[in-house]
């Protein structure tokens, strides 16, 4: 066996240490301040950021199921379809810690029980709403591509 091959096997053994992946070694997702609108300011005139945090995979799967609709043709089931627009909006609502779009106060203020409608009315300028959705999907890893992950791993 060549020296180079021996070194490669040693590295492979180190790389296969499963202790790195044990539950108590996983870092908790951090909260992030995200600026989605310039229109909401504090008493000093500073723009107020939204606070967002990634949600667990299990919750994303639940949201996907809740946003899945059965499709019928001539009374017969032909399949299922995920309402992508509502699905990503639900992810954004769940990801948003502050402001709490599910709060009774905001729902009453915007005269709707639906937190997605609260978000649409709160972020009434189209770019704000789409920025909010984009940030939520980014925070939950939907925009990560392999090259980005590989580059981060190298650093």
């Amino acid at each position: 066996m060549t020296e180079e091959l021996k070194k490669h096997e040693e590295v492979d053994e180190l790389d296969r240490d499963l202790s790195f992946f044990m539950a108590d070694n996983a870092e908790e997702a951090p909260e992030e301040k995200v600026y989605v609108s310039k229109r909401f300011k504090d008493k000093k005139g500073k723009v107020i950021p939204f606070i967002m945090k990634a949600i667990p995979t299990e919750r994303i799967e639940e949201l996907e199921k809740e946003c899945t609709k059965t499709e019928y043709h001539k009374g017969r089931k032909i399949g299922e379809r995920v309402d992508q627009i509502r699905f990503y909006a639900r992810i954004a609502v769940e990801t948003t810690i502050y402001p709490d779009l599910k709060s009774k106060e905001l729902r009453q203020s915007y005269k709707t029980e639906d937190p997605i409608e609260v978000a649409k009315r709160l972020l009434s300028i189209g770019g704000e709403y789409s920025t909010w959705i984009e940030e939520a999907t980014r925070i939950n890893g939907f925009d990560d591509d392999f090259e980005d992950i590989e580059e981060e791993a190298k650093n």
Side-chain angles (χ1 to χ4, degrees), residues 17-28:
D17 180 354
L18 293 179
S19 68
F20 300 118
F21 300 99
M22 297 300 169
D24 57 341
N25 282 338
E27 292 180 9
E28 186 176 332

Side-chain angles (χ1 to χ4, degrees), residues 1 14 21 32 42 56 59 62 78 80 93 117 137 141 144:
M1 188 178 290
L14 288 174
F21 300 99
E32 290 187 38
D42 66 16
R59 183 63 182 135
E62 290 170 4
I78 59 170
E80 295 181 332
V93 166
E117 287 302 315
T137 55
D144 289 346

